[in-house]
Amino acid sequence: QKEVEQDPGPLSVPEGAIVSLNCTYSNSAFQYFMWYRQYSRKGPELLMYTYSSGNKEDGRFTAQVDKSSKYISLFIRDSQPSDSATYLCAMSTQNNNDMRFGAGTRLTVKP
Amino acid sequence: GAGVSQSPSNKVTEKGKDVELRCDPISGHTALYWYRQRLGQGLEFLIYFQGNSAPDKSGLPSDRFSAERTGESVSTLTIQRTQQEDSAVYLCASSLVSPSYEQYFGPGTRLTVT
């Protein structure tokens, strides 16, 4: 079993839709939970991070962490074609030197 | 300011040859990380530098892989006697403090071993 599981998609939605991206994990020691966005032929860029459980909102993006279920989510409201990218979840323990990534979900938002 | 840069952007090599990949981190960033990204898979951690020392080499897949860093500057990842399974995108990232979840990635080097 992989430490971090993420559905690779691909996921295709119409512009304006609400997008839900999810990851599950097995290591209960993970404390930091991140979402990175990767455009084609580019390196990943940090989109959001959450420490421990809870929700965090930033504009159209909301990150949720449920440590009891070992489940994290990223919601994108009013999705735009410019949101089309691969979204990778990542997580690490308190040390932050052991970040583990999901496989990434490829999202396409159609105009 | 300038981001993380990597060179070459693409490298095609024959099986058995050695390759050297270069990473220039953001100036002032103390930590530097190397990852491998195979097609359709997540990032696989290879090695992490704090300054020019590597406290964690656990991710290097075999003794054919090695990495060095000069001070808090450029790093090179060397793969000796390349194999076809080494074909992947090799990504470098740096962070201001070490270690950190807030990593800034370069565009990667796409390595193809024929």
Side-chain angles (χ1 to χ4, degrees), chain B:
Chain B
V4 177
S5 61
Q6 292 186 246
S7 61
S9 55
N10 283 284
K11 176 72 176 178
V12 180
T13 190
E14 291 179 354
K15 178 181 171 182
K17 295 285 179 70
D18 298 351
V19 295
E20 196 170 274
L21 312 179
R22 177 187 169 107
C23 172
D24 282 276
I26 294 173
S27 178
H29 278 197
T30 59
L32 186 146
Y33 315 78
W34 282 99
Y35 296 89
R36 178 169 68 179
Q37 187 174 32
R38 288 183 165 139
L39 188 64
Q41 298 186 24
L43 276 66
E44 176 187 359
F45 170 78
L46 297 179
I47 189 169
Y48 146 67
F49 285 93
Q50 185 170 316
N52 63 1
S53 67
D56 188 357
K57 300 182 180 180
S58 62
L60 294 177
S62 75
D63 58 7
R64 297 187 294 105
F65 287 72
S66 62
E68 292 182 344
R69 187 180 186 196
T70 306
E72 292 187 352
S73 183
V74 64
S75 175
T76 55
L77 176 70
T78 302
I79 308 173
Q80 295 178 311
R81 305 180 302 282
T82 52
Q83 303 295 311
Q84 287 187 329
E85 62 262 27
D86 298 334
S87 296
V89 175
Y90 290 82
L91 289 158
C92 172
S94 68
S95 63
L96 184 61
V97 297
S98 70
S100 173
Y101 60 82
E102 191 170 0
Q103 299 180 15
Y104 295 82
F105 283 82
T109 293
R110 186 173 298 272
L111 175 66
T112 304
V113 181
T114 61

